[in-house]
Amino acid sequence: YDDRYMATITARVDGSSRFGDNNKYAFFPSAGLGWLVSNESFMESVTAIDQLKLHTSYGITGNTEIGAYKSLATISSGTVLLNGIRVPNSYTSRLANPDLKWEKTSQFDIGFNLNLFRNRLNFDVSYYYKLTSDLLLDRPVPQTTGFSSVIDNIGSVSNQGVDFLLNSVNIATKDFEWTSALNLNYNKNKIKALGENDEDIEPGPNWVSGSQIILRVGESLSSFWGYERLGIWGENEAEEAKAAGANVGEAKRSPQKKVLGKGVPDLTGSFINNFRYKNLDLTVDMQFVTGVDILQQFFH
């Protein structure tokens, strides 16, 4: 409206046969608002600002990234030895979940776009908060059922952070041009809930080091845990090593498993520089991450 006020509203209903009979459809609304402040009359005297826009939005999206027929009980076939004769047999190989539903992510963001000095310096800054609920995960079930897990909606995880983008025209002449782009994203990932009792979920151990991925409330979604390496049992620690069930020269580890790190970085970014001299051009692209741990496996 009047080249100053903007609004976008959408609403949609999606359905997928991947989910249970009770929850095949879901509703996904969204709304966005914008205010082009630089077009207001009180900004006419501010010559340094070419454009200033404030924006905010909220919306919900869905995730269907699971295998086909995951909500259904499936039948497998094979053969079995019965009375000395091999005969065909069939058996239920997966538990059904008719209540399996969409994984949903609601996201709120607020930010601004600022262009300065005849668009030679451009900023795009936004804060966002994303909450993913009804996570599609394998929920452990009692072994007495004959199964180890069933796919279910059992938790929520949050992501919040800041996106920062800076574009600049450093030099612009007939023969030579240099432009830069700095892109930064700070993100904090945290598991908010897991099932009814917020119990840990361990997808499975690593056979090399005993380290494994763990899903735990309060930790990052990609946290891994295991025994912390504390060095090697020395000759002067022979008695202590024996009491711990180890020998001199063997690895010394913490008595209990603990969270060792996470695979989701706190900060990611890039710094890109484009140079042009007449008909020659050069691009220098630097990527970086920080606040992330890497689990490396070494064995003989």
Side-chain angles (χ1 to χ4, degrees), residues 103-128:
E103 179 181 292
K104 294 184 177 180
T105 298
S106 57
Q107 177 170 340
F108 165 79
D109 74 76
I110 185 169
F112 67 88
N113 303 106
L114 176 62
N115 298 351
L116 301 171
F117 313 122
R118 296 184 180 180
N119 294 312
R120 292 179 69 97
L121 200 60
N122 304 322
F123 294 89
D124 188 348
V125 183
S126 296
Y127 165 80
Y128 63 88

Side-chain angles (χ1 to χ4, degrees), residues 135 155-158 189-194 214-223:
L135 290 173
S156 62
V157 61
S158 68
N189 175 274
K190 180 185 291 187
I191 296 175
K192 309 289 285 187
L194 281 176
I214 183 171
L215 303 179
R216 172 177 289 177
V217 173
E219 300 290 344
S220 172
L221 193 60
S222 64
S223 295

Side-chain angles (χ1 to χ4, degrees), residues 13 22 31 36 48 54 63 78 101 113 117 125 134 144 156 159 169 178 183 203-204 216-217 242 245 267 299:
V13 175
N22 303 330
L36 200 57
L54 307 181
N63 176 30
K101 58 186 177 181
N113 303 106
F117 313 122
V125 183
D134 297 323
T144 53
S156 62
N159 285 275
V169 180
W178 171 28
N183 179 35
R216 172 177 289 177
V217 173
K242 184 177 180 181
L267 181 69
F299 60 97

